[in-house]
Amino acid sequence: MKIRFAIAALLVATTVNVNAATTDTQKFTVTVPSAISITAPVNANLTHDESENDQIFPVQPWVVKGNSLSGVTASFSTATAFTHTVDSTAKRDAGLALAVNSSVGAANWNVTQVNDQTDYTNNDGVATVQVSSNGFGRATMDLSVSFITDGFGTFPAGDYETTVTGTVTAN
């Protein structure tokens, strides 16, 4: 009887070892959340040179990021023309121009609206420029902003302001 139990135990032990796996796998997954952003540089100031020339601010580098597979669209818009900070009836048109400076990632970036200008005399305070990508990546946009002089001395002295708002959305 002891021999039967010993043989049965040996058979069970042999069967367990024969059925043990010699390889297996484990999958690891990282979930990357959707992330799009736009970052403006610091506020810009300049002093008019008292010429008849439009006053062009130094190029402003805005950073646009998007990890959407279908890309992103970024727009840069004014809500108003340049407006005097004391006398809101004194205005000058604002001009915008946009170019792609550099990019990283798989996306191709295409400026779909290169330039625009406000028209305060016709109550159009909005100027908009736009860029679009076809994939994921990051780009630095060069935004040029102009104060349209249109006759130096025909508008009061003082500070004139406009704000450009950058907006980015997934395609």
Side-chain angles (χ1 to χ4, degrees), residues 151-165:
F152 186 79
T154 62
F155 47 90
D159 292 336
Y160 291 75
E161 293 180 345
T162 192
T163 299
V164 173
T165 302

Side-chain angles (χ1 to χ4, degrees), residues 7-19:
I7 292 174
L10 181 60
L11 287 173
V12 169
T14 302
T15 304
V16 170
N17 288 340
V18 170
N19 290 332

